[in-house]
């Protein structure tokens, strides 16, 4: 054998497997007609179920050969019908006699018999298996469990100029997917070389899709890119040393591989999924409950499956050894229940389907979709092992749950973020720890018990999943390491997901636009204004101006038609992200009008925002603008004419295609639409919001390539967006918070001398007593009144202070707000047992809601006019990141912005000049707003001017109506496209005429001092 040849690589793998407990398979013993190694099959049955086998032999008149022939044929038929996974897990019955085809490692090691049977499994590795009944083609490796083939592998050696790509090509072009071994036996097929591993669960010729099965360039669970790190030996040795180890392989068969109910595809875990689940469960088994874990897994990581596998494993997890410090014995269940906190209904269905394939017991997974009574029953009952709920339901069930004290819970948080640090999380802990107002600590103090309920507890473990952890999230759920910093327990990076092809890079094609504008002050008195508030209103006036909306609508629609509409075979979708509900409604209206005016088909928009909105005096909602209910929007948006099943029906009856969705807040997180290829951004994006919003584009689709993904941004700079992505591209860490910050915040509150200890104590005693004992309406009313009585004096003192020194009153409010926010977070992280801190939090939280707010005078910018506007492309950028490494997030400081008391004023005209210098750089005559030009021309018309001086505005309109269209038509060369819209759109023309009359009338009267 040549040292550099493929045979040496194959031999090294085989020897490693034999050393770990595999047996050598004999190729000649493989029955190509049945797809079974019958020799290993009958050896297994004889070792483990001889009595049952003898019964079956007796049924066949003691003819062993006939019994073996019949049983092998029947088993092959059962595998054909049910699949090898189900047969291995549940066995078969032949003539009423049950037979197990595999034994799996028990959850605990109490029964030696179970381990004896488990060790009797016969795992065999067969080299150069000739698998076909038609020819003598052979596979490099085949892996069998008790004679049933479960995996194949093709090995390649770069030293002989063949790589893993050649192995994939061999499977695609030289392995007939209709062959029995590939079609109805083996579950996974591995393409392997010394550097990389890929796997598929279905051969489909040229359409075979191989997924990477690599640890990541930095190693398992760490940040980095695709591939495997350099090691002392083969980079891919983890495959045969870890994954193909007998214990791991049997566990994969038992508790990982499953069939997706919707696609019917067999799911084999990706390496990071397997590693995360096993690392988490191994740690919990070794240390018991009481630890928190943060899993930083990128979008595209297959998080739903990871959570499903983890929940199932945790529900039957037993301790590996006794843990005396936590009063946990060996071989004891680590958790009594697993609770998943999520808002995703799809996760419920996936869990139900996945766990049932493993357990075949209904009711193991229960979703709480009714009320708190259902949740209380699930937590108290014995049937449900995995309970799925939302965080909000836990605040209402404290008095309904009995018997939970002393129980241990694993809480899996889907999309963990800082909201898990507030009162909802405390309510969950109180329920699971069964700490009501009648609970006391060892010293008999309910206030201390209330404080203790906020912190970490040895009976609760949190397993938190997120792709974008904030520093608070890291502190709550992360792992404090030797250098003192807090990091995720396990990472699968955005970089690795992009490099492995599971998501697309949304920053690769990033086009930026800039809006330039100028305003004119039409107020004759030039009032003094608060510059900060007035600047905000002036900018809002410019941004929401109809002309601004019209220009952006034109850019969006024309870009969509030229660059997006034809992508994905005509299926591509676009999202427009706006900064407010009003902006969304106005931009949607402008896009719709532009599409209709130009007669464009196939690019009708939809809009999504919450609640009611007054738009130009008309109450509108999302449903009213779209013409159908909110719940229908995802399906309507997903519809594409390219996939239309109604193509044969009359066009008038076919569904409408809506490829453009304008949103304000909604659909910017958690919305999974793979057809989205383009995003138009018209709002500032910062931090986590930037990543979550733009990541709506990163989902893959069979027709979607990297070049299809496109961002056009009207507001942000590409370099700024790159900075927002950095902390989440590989991995993040943070510095732990100084616990003494809370005492600094406490001192800031008490320094104002507004709070009285006796009032605070009376309030919290009434509150804690009422939480569990006010069971009747009368008792509840009495307790509620008491809470007001004990906060009244502090509120009155605050009102008096606000009248005398409003800035000090604002300072107190800011300090109290900062303290309550800081305590709600830090009490989850730091084991405070300070009664005074808890008392100030409970009292301060209530008092904040009762303090009247100072009403700053509103700013009236009066009459202003948009005179110049240009929306211009400023560049096309590749904003994607390279290897960025670990990013340190700033630690939690707790300080808020505090009161803003800078009330200096400036003249409105001066402020407008300042804004014009900032936003109007480079604007000239060509950038004058066309419509404003028409108003100015109308005001300069002699007949119109004369009429305005001697008439009220109503009578003036009669005269003006006869001249307005003549004036506008005489200036038609200034903007042909808008001119055409003016002529074609009656509604637009009437609106513009009415506005022009009003503006011209005011200009003329003001000019002559008659305003």
């Amino acid at each position: 054998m040549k040292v550099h040849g493929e045979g040496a690589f194959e031999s090294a793998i085989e020897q490693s497997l034999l050393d770990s407990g595999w047996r050598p398979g004999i190729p000649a013993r493989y029955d190509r007609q049945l797809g079974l190694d019958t020799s290993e099959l009958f050896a297994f049955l004889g070792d483990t179920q001889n009595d049952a086998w003898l019964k079956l032999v007796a049924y066949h008149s003691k003819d062993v050969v006939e019994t073996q022939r019949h049983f092998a044929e029947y088993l092959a038929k059962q595998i054909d019908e049910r699949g090898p996974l189900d047969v291995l897990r549940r066995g078969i019955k032949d003539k009423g006699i049950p037979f197990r085809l595999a034994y799996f490692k028990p959850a605990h090691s109490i029964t030696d018999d179970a381990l004896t049977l488990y060790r009797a499994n016969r795992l065999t590795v067969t080299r150069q298996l000739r698998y076909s009944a038609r020819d003598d083609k052979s596979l490099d490796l085949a892996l069998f469990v008790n004679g049933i083939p479960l995996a194949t592998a093709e090995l390649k050696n770069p030293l002989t100029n063949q790589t893993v790509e050649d192995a994939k090509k061999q499977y695609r072009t030289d392995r007939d997917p209709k062959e029995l071994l590939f079609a109805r036996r083996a579950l996974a097929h591995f393409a392997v070389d010394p550097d990389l591993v890929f796997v598929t669960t279905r051969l489909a010729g040229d359409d075979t899709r191989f997924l990477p099965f690599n640890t990541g360039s930095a190693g398992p669970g760490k940040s980095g890119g695709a591939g495997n790190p350099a090691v002392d030996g083969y980079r891919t040795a983890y495959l045969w040393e870890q994954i193909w180890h007998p214990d791991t392989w049997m566990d994969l068969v038992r508790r990982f591989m499953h069939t997706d109910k919707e696609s019917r595809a067999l799911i084999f875990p990706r390496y990071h999924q397997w590693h995360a689940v096993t690392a988490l469960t191994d740690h919990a088994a070794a240390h018991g409950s009481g630890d928190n874990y943060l899993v930083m897994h990128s979008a595209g990581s297959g998080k739903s499956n990871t959570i499903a596998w983890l929940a199932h494993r945790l529900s039957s997890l037993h301790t590996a050894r006794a843990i005396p410090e936590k009063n946990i014995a060996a071989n004891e269940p680590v958790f009594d229940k697993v609770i998943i906190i999520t808002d995703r209904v799809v996760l419920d269905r996936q869990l139900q389907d996945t766990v049932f394939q493993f357990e075949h017991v209904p009711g193991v997974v229960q979703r709480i979709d009714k009320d708190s009574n259902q949740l209380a029953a699930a937590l108290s009952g014995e049937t449900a092992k995995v309970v799925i709920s939302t965080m909000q339901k836990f605040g209402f069930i404290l008095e309904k749950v009995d018997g939970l004290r002393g129980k241990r819970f694993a809480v899996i948080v889907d999309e963990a973020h800082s909201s898990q640090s507030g009162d909802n999380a405390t309510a969950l802990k109180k329920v699971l720890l069964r700490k009501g107002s009648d609970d006391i600590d060892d010293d008999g103090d309910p206030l201390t018990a209330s404080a203790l309920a906020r912190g970490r507890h040895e009976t609760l473990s949190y397993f938190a999943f997120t792709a974008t952890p904030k520093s608070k999230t890291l502190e709550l759920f992360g792992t404090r390491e030797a250098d003192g910093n807090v990091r995720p327990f396990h990472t699968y990076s955005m970089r690795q997901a992009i490099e492995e092809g599971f998501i697309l890079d949304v920053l690769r094609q990033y086009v930026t636009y800039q809006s330039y504008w100028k305003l004119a002050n039409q107020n004759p008195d030039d009032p003094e204004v608060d510059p900060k508030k007035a600047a905000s209103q002036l900018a809002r006036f410019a941004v929401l101006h109809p002309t601004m909306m019209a220009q952006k609508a034109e850019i969006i629609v024309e870009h969509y038609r030229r660059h997006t509409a034809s992508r994905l075979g005509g299926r591509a979708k676009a999202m427009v992200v706006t900064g407010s509900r009003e902006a969304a409604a106005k931009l949607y209206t402008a896009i719709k009008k532009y599409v209709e005016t130009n007669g464009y088909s196939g690019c009708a928009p939809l809009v999504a925002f919450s609640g009611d909105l007054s738009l130009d005096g008309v109450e509108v909602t999302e449903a009213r603008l779209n013409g159908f209910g909110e719940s229908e929007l995802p399906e309507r948006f997903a519809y594409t004419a390219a996939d239309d099943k109604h193509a044969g029906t009359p066009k008038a009856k076919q569904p409408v295609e809506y490829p453009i969705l304008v949103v304000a807040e909604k659909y910017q997180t958690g919305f999974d639409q793979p057809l989205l290829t383009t995003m138009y951004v018209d709002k500032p994006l910062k931090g986590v919001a930037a990543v979550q919003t733009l990541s709506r584009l990163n989902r893959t689709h069979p027709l979607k390539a990297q070049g299809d993904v496109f961002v056009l941004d009207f507001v942000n700079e590409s370099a700024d967006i790159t900075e927002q992505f950095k902390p989440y591209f590989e991995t993040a860490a943070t510095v732990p918070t100084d616990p003494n910050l809370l005492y600094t915040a406490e001192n800031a509150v008490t320094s104002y001398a507004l709070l009285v200890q006796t009032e605070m104590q009376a309030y919290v005693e009434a509150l804690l007593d009422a939480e569990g004992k006010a069971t009747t309406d009368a008792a509840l009313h009495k307790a509620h009144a008491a809470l007001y009585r004990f906060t009244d004096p502090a509120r009155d003192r605050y009102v008096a202070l606000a009248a005398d020194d409003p800035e000090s009153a604002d300072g107190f409010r800011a300090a109290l707000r900062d303290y309550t926010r800081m305590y709600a977070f830090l009490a989850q992280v730091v084991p405070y047992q300070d009664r005074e801190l808890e008392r100030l939090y409970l009292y301060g939280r209530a008092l904040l809601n009762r303090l009247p707010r100072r009403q700053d005078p509103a700013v009236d910018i009066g009459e202003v006019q948009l005179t110049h506007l240009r929306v211009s492309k400023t560049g096309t950028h590749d904003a994607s990141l390279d290897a960025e490494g670990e990013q340190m997030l700033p630690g939690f400081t707790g300080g808020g912005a505090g009161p803003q008391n800078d009330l200096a004023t400036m003249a409105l005209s001066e402020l407008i000049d300042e804004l014009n210098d900032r936003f109007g750089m480079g604007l000239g005559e060509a950038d004058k707003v066309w419509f404003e030009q028409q108003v100015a021309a109308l005001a300069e018309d002699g007949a119109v001017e004369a009429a305005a001086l001697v008439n009220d505005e109503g009578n003036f309109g009669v005269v003006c109506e006869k001249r307005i269209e003549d004036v506008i038509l005489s200036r038609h060369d200034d903007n042909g496209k808008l001119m055409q819209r003016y002529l074609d759109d009656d509604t637009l023309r009437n609106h513009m005429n009415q506005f022009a009359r009003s503006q011209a009338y005011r200009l003329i009267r003001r000019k002559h001092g008659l305003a």
Side-chain angles (χ1 to χ4, degrees), residues 37 67 89 141 190 201 205 271 286 298 320 342 550 564 602 634 649 776 817 859 931 957 960:
D37 184 336
T67 305
R89 288 171 180 164
L141 289 180
F190 294 88
T201 58
Y271 182 86
S298 166
T342 183
T564 301
T649 61
T776 66
R817 183 187 63 240
V859 173
F931 185 59
C960 187

Side-chain angles (χ1 to χ4, degrees), residues 393-408:
K393 285 189 172 66
F394 282 88
F396 304 98
I397 65 169
L398 188 59
E399 71 281 3
K400 300 174 185 177
V401 178
D402 294 314
L404 294 188
R405 190 188 302 275
K407 300 282 188 180
R408 293 189 292 267

Side-chain angles (χ1 to χ4, degrees), residues 347-642:
L347 186 57
D348 163 48
R349 293 197 298 266
Q350 188 164 342
L351 271 167
Q352 296 273 13
D353 296 339
T354 301
V355 173
F356 186 76
Q357 290 183 53
F358 300 146
E359 299 287 347
H360 270 273
V361 177
V364 173
V365 178
Q366 183 176 356
R367 180 174 183 83
I368 307 307
D369 54 5
K370 295 178 182 177
D371 53 28
S372 56
N373 290 324
Q374 183 192 22
L375 176 56
L379 292 176
S380 302
E382 297 295 329
T383 302
K385 297 297 184 184
V386 179
V387 178
I388 308 174
S389 180
T390 60
M391 183 74 78
Q392 289 71 26
K393 285 189 172 66
F394 282 88
F396 304 98
I397 65 169
L398 188 59
E399 71 281 3
K400 300 174 185 177
V401 178
D402 294 314
L404 294 188
R405 190 188 302 275
K407 300 282 188 180
R408 293 189 292 267
F409 297 91
V411 181
I412 300 176
V413 183
D414 180 20
E415 280 309 321
H417 49 79
S418 57
S419 70
Q420 266 80 44
S421 67
D423 291 331
N424 281 330
T426 302
L428 180 146
K429 289 179 179 177
K430 283 186 175 181
V431 169
L432 300 183
L433 298 169
R434 194 58 185 92
K435 286 186 178 293
S437 63
D438 55 342
D439 286 305
I440 56 176
D441 73 321
D442 292 339
D443 297 323
D445 180 19
L447 186 56
T448 303
S450 178
L452 289 171
R454 300 183 188 282
R456 295 192 178 189
H457 300 274
E458 64 180 26
T459 59
L460 297 182
S461 289
Y462 281 84
F463 300 81
F465 285 75
T466 182
T468 52
K470 299 178 182 179
S471 58
K472 280 186 176 182
T473 317
L474 280 162
E475 277 210 72
L476 282 173
F477 305 115
T479 302
R480 188 163 182 168
E481 297 188 348
D483 62 359
N485 294 327
V486 182
R487 293 181 174 85
F489 180 84
H490 198 277
T491 298
Y492 176 75
S493 69
M494 182 189 300
R495 175 188 166 194
Q496 186 172 349
I498 290 172
E499 291 181 6
E500 291 185 340
F502 289 106
I503 59 172
L504 300 172
D505 187 347
V506 300
L507 304 182
R508 191 72 59 80
Q509 297 186 88
Y510 207 97
V511 175
T512 52
Y513 273 68
Q514 179 67 51
S515 297
Y516 304 92
W517 45 265
K518 284 186 178 181
L519 301 174
N521 181 14
Q522 300 296 313
N523 297 286
D525 54 347
D526 196 16
E528 292 285 317
V529 295
D530 176 343
K532 184 175 181 180
K533 293 182 178 180
S536 176
Q537 287 193 37
L538 291 168
R540 184 172 180 272
F541 171 82
V543 168
L544 296 178
H545 194 279
T547 308
M548 179 80 81
M549 289 293 170
Q551 282 207 23
K552 289 181 178 177
E554 179 180 348
I555 292 170
I556 289 168
V557 173
E558 295 300 338
H559 179 274
Y560 174 81
R561 294 182 70 245
R562 293 171 187 164
H563 299 283
T564 301
S566 62
R567 297 184 184 272
L568 313 192
R571 299 169 178 83
K573 303 287 184 180
M575 179 180 284
V576 184
V577 178
T578 67
S580 69
R581 298 185 306 153
E582 184 179 0
K586 286 189 171 183
L587 190 50
Y588 159 79
T589 303
I591 292 172
K592 185 177 181 182
K593 184 172 288 185
Y594 184 82
V595 169
E596 292 172 351
T597 300
N598 288 278
Y600 292 155
S601 61
C603 49
L606 292 173
V607 66
F609 61 88
S610 299
D612 297 333
L613 174 68
S614 179
L615 192 64
D616 297 328
V618 178
E619 291 294 321
V620 298
T621 64
E622 171 189 318
R624 288 175 195 155
L625 290 175
N626 289 331
F628 52 79
E630 292 184 33
S631 61
E632 297 180 46
L633 190 145
E635 184 176 349
R636 298 267 192 145
F637 183 55
Y639 165 76
T640 62

Side-chain angles (χ1 to χ4, degrees), residues 299 502-506 676 694-700 704:
F502 289 106
I503 59 172
L504 300 172
D505 187 347
V506 300
L676 268 178
L694 295 175
S695 292
R696 297 313 99 208
L697 295 177
N698 68 18
R699 279 20 179 204
T700 58
K704 190 174 175 182

Side-chain angles (χ1 to χ4, degrees), residues 255-315:
R255 296 192 286 193
F256 278 91
M257 284 187 267
H258 68 276
T259 302
D260 182 81
K261 192 172 183 179
E262 290 187 8
S263 67
R264 305 308 303 167
L266 179 69
I267 305 299
F268 191 89
R270 288 150 61 184
Y271 182 86
H272 75 271
Q273 293 175 312
W274 169 82
H275 189 269
V277 172
T278 53
L280 289 164
T281 53
D282 286 351
H283 191 279
H287 297 87
S289 59
D291 290 295
N292 290 349
Y293 308 86
L294 179 63
V295 182
M296 185 178 174
H297 280 193
S298 166
S301 67
K303 183 177 62 176
S304 294
N305 273 325
T306 306
I307 290 177
W309 288 318
L310 177 62
H312 178 243
R313 292 290 291 270
L314 292 175
S315 69

Side-chain angles (χ1 to χ4, degrees), residues 716-895:
N716 305 281
E717 295 293 336
S718 64
D720 293 337
I721 295 297
T722 299
E723 286 299 313
Q724 309 310 309
F725 269 71
K726 273 187 179 180
Y728 312 110
F729 190 63
E730 292 198 40
T731 193
T734 194
V735 178
T737 302
D738 178 2
N740 289 326
L741 280 175
L742 196 55
Y743 292 102
T744 303
E746 179 194 25
N747 291 333
V749 175
T750 57
S751 66
Y752 286 90
L754 287 176
L755 303 182
V756 175
Q757 297 292 329
T758 55
E759 294 169 359
M760 296 168 61
Q761 184 64 27
Y763 171 86
V764 297
E765 286 177 359
L767 174 69
L768 295 175
D769 186 62
E771 278 188 344
K773 295 181 180 178
T775 55
T776 66
D777 287 344
L780 180 64
H781 297 160
K782 182 179 179 180
H784 190 253
L787 300 184
Y788 273 85
R789 184 171 73 254
F790 295 130
T791 53
D792 278 344
R795 183 203 58 179
D796 294 341
R797 288 190 290 272
Y798 173 85
V799 171
L801 177 64
D804 182 57
D805 186 355
E807 291 188 10
S808 290
D810 287 346
F812 171 77
R813 177 197 292 278
L816 187 58
R817 183 187 63 240
D818 288 346
Y819 174 82
T820 56
R821 290 176 178 173
M822 191 184 301
Y823 185 78
F825 165 63
L826 285 179
Q828 310 286 317
V829 180
V830 180
Y832 295 111
Q833 297 183 32
D834 191 323
R835 300 170 69 255
E836 294 182 359
L837 294 179
E838 176 74 5
R839 179 173 59 196
L840 178 56
Y841 171 73
L842 293 173
Y843 185 82
R845 184 182 57 176
L847 182 61
L848 273 174
N849 292 327
R850 301 207 61 206
L851 298 181
R853 294 184 178 276
R854 176 157 60 125
Q855 298 298 320
D856 290 334
V859 173
D860 182 7
I861 61 173
E863 292 289 329
V864 293
Q865 181 180 347
L866 182 68
T867 60
H868 295 70
L869 174 65
R870 183 174 75 239
V871 183
S872 300
K873 180 178 177 180
T874 56
T876 300
H877 316 272
D878 181 351
S880 55
L881 292 96
D882 297 317
E884 301 294 330
E886 180 181 271
Q887 301 290 306
M888 289 296 297
L889 297 180
F892 178 75
T893 60

Side-chain angles (χ1 to χ4, degrees), residues 37-50:
D37 184 336
T38 54
S39 176
E40 293 296 326
L41 168 67
F42 295 125
F44 166 73
L45 293 176
D47 289 344
T48 61
Q49 300 157 86
N50 194 51

